[in-house]
Amino acid sequence: MTGPAPDAPDGPQQPPRRRGPGRPRQDEAAEGPGTQERIRLAARSEFAARGYDKTSVRGIAKAAGVDPALVHHYFGSKDDLFAAAVELTMEPALVVPAIVGEGPDGIGERLARYFLGIWENPATRAPLLAVIRSALTHEAAAKVLRTLVLRRVLERVAADLDVPDPTFRAELAASHMVGIAILRYVVRVEPLASADPEAIVALVAPTLQRYLTED
Amino acid sequence: MTGPAPDAPDGPQQPPRRRGPGRPRQDEAAEGPGTQERIRLAARSEFAARGYDKTSVRGIAKAAGVDPALVHHYFGSKDDLFAAAVELTMEPALVVPAIVGEGPDGIGERLARYFLGIWENPATRAPLLAVIRSALTHEAAAKVLRTLVLRRVLERVAADLDVPDPTFRAELAASHMVGIAILRYVVRVEPLASADPEAIVALVAPTLQRYLTED
C-alpha cells in the first residue's frame, strides 16, 4: 500500500480525518469519490421513508451498500447522519439567496413559485416532509434545522434585504411557506390541497413581497 | 329485552347510548355527570404528553380513574379518543368565528393577537403542538384535524367573509399562523422565537387582513 486508504476505517491502516456532516472538502474526490455521497443519499432516503426513530445507522449502511463502521467513521452518530440528510434535503433552499439576490422587484412572486415548485415535486417533497416531521418530534432534529436554516439560508437572505429586522422578516416569509406546505400536503385541507399552485402564488406573493421589501 | 340495544357491547344492563366524540348531549349530566368530560380531559393530557403512538386507551382510563371498558364504551377506538382530544384542544379556535363575525375592520389584527395568545399560553400550547405533531405523523390524526378544522372553524369563518374563495383565504391565513407556531415554538428559530408577540402581530395583521377582506 503506497498511500492512504481513507475509506477503510475498520482495518489498521491510516484513517481519513473525520469532518462535519455534509461538508465535503475540495480534495474529497481524490480520497474516495462517491462513498460519502452514497451514504448521504442513503441517509436522506432512510430518514424520509422511516422517520427519525426507525432509522438506524445499520439500515443506512445497508442501503448505501457499505459497512456500518464506515458510516460511523465518516458521519459519527445518528444525529450527525441526520444533519447530513437535512443538509442534502435543504439544498434546494440554498438557491433562495440567489433568488433574493436578483433584487426586490418581483421577489415575492419568484420565491412563492420556487417554494411551491419544490413542494409540488414528490422527489423533493418527501425528504422535506421528513425533515419537518422529525423537527417536530425530536429536539435533536429541530436543532439541526434551526442551525442549518439560520446559518445557511435565512441569514444569507437577510443580508440582501433592505428592511428593518431582515432575519425576522425572512423567518416570517419562511413560516408562511412552511404552514402552507403542512396544510396543503400533510393535513390536506380542501380547497388548499387541490388549489392550482398559481392561485396560491397570486395571493401569497404580495405577502412575501411586503415582508422582504417594505418598511 | 324489549327493544334494540345497539350500543350495549359489554354488559346486559342499560348502557348510555354511544355518540360521536366530544358531543355531549344536554341530558348527559343525568346519565353520569363528569365521567365523559374526565375521560376527554385525560385523553387530551395523555396525547399531549406522550404523543399519538405511546398513548393507549388503558393509559387514558387510568388517568381518568375509570375502567378501560367505560372508555371504550363512551369513545370507541383510540382514534375516536384522539378525535375527542383534538376537539377539546381546538376549542379556543371555536372563538374564531365570533372574532371574524365582528366585521372586517381590524380583523387581521384581532385574529393575529388571538392566535398568538393561545400559543403564548403554555397550557393551550402543549395540546395544540401535540395535535400538530400527531397530524404530521399519523394519517388518522391528520384526518381528524382536517375534518374538524374544516367543519367547525374554517367553513364558519368563510361564511362571514366577503371575498372570492373564502375558505381558501381562511386556510391561507391559518397556514401562516401554523407556520409561525412551528418556527417560533418548535424549531425555535431566532429572532422569531424571542420576538415580542406584538412585533409579530404588527407584521402579520396586514397579511391576514388582506386575505380575509380584499379581493
Side-chain angles (χ1 to χ4, degrees), chain A residues 133 136 146 150 168-169 171-172 175-176 179-180 182 186-188 190-192 203-204 206-207 210-211, chain B residues 133 136 146 150 168-169 171-172 175-176 179-180 182 186-188 190-192 203-204 206-207 210-211:
Chain A
R133 283 190 176 110
L136 277 164
R146 177 164 70 232
L150 252 189
F168 181 51
R169 299 298 195 95
E171 287 166 4
L172 281 182
S175 76
H176 200 358
I180 288 172
I182 288 174
V186 185
V187 181
R188 296 202 311 280
E190 294 291 357
L192 181 60
L203 276 164
V204 170
T207 302
R210 184 169 63 81
Y211 288 162
Chain B
R133 284 190 176 110
L136 276 164
R146 178 164 69 231
L150 253 188
F168 181 51
R169 300 297 194 95
E171 286 166 5
L172 281 182
S175 77
H176 200 358
I180 288 172
I182 288 174
V186 185
V187 181
R188 296 201 311 279
E190 294 292 357
L192 181 60
L203 276 164
V204 170
T207 302
R210 185 170 62 81
Y211 288 163

Side-chain angles (χ1 to χ4, degrees), chain A residues 135-211:
Chain A
L136 277 164
T137 44
H138 295 86
E139 168 53 23
K143 187 179 174 187
V144 167
L145 190 60
R146 177 164 70 232
T147 315
L148 290 173
V149 170
L150 252 189
R151 249 190 232 155
R152 309 202 49 186
V153 180
L154 290 172
E155 286 183 355
R156 278 165 66 191
V157 166
D160 277 335
L161 299 180
D162 186 23
V163 289
D165 304 317
T167 310
F168 181 51
R169 299 298 195 95
E171 287 166 4
L172 281 182
S175 76
H176 200 358
M177 300 314 295
V178 166
I180 288 172
I182 288 174
L183 288 194
R184 177 173 167 90
Y185 303 107
V186 185
V187 181
R188 296 202 311 280
V189 68
E190 294 291 357
L192 181 60
S194 304
D196 184 329
E198 283 301 311
I200 300 172
V201 169
L203 276 164
V204 170
T207 302
L208 305 188
Q209 184 75 29
R210 184 169 63 81
Y211 288 162

Side-chain angles (χ1 to χ4, degrees), chain A residues 99 102-110 209 213:
Chain A
I99 294 174
E102 288 174 31
D105 282 355
I107 191 180
E109 189 176 327
R110 290 198 306 277
Q209 184 75 29
T213 65

Side-chain angles (χ1 to χ4, degrees), chain B residues 23-42:
Chain B
R23 292 184 191 85
R25 290 199 322 262
Q26 282 307 309
D27 59 349
E28 188 77 353
E31 290 179 337
T35 302
Q36 273 203 333
E37 186 61 15
R38 218 158 67 235
I39 296 171
R40 230 189 310 273
L41 287 164

Side-chain angles (χ1 to χ4, degrees), chain B residues 42-64:
Chain B
R44 181 175 65 174
S45 302
E46 290 290 301
F47 281 114
R50 296 174 199 282
Y52 184 89
D53 273 337
K54 291 178 185 149
T55 297
S56 66
V57 172
R58 185 165 294 274
I60 290 169
K62 194 176 172 192

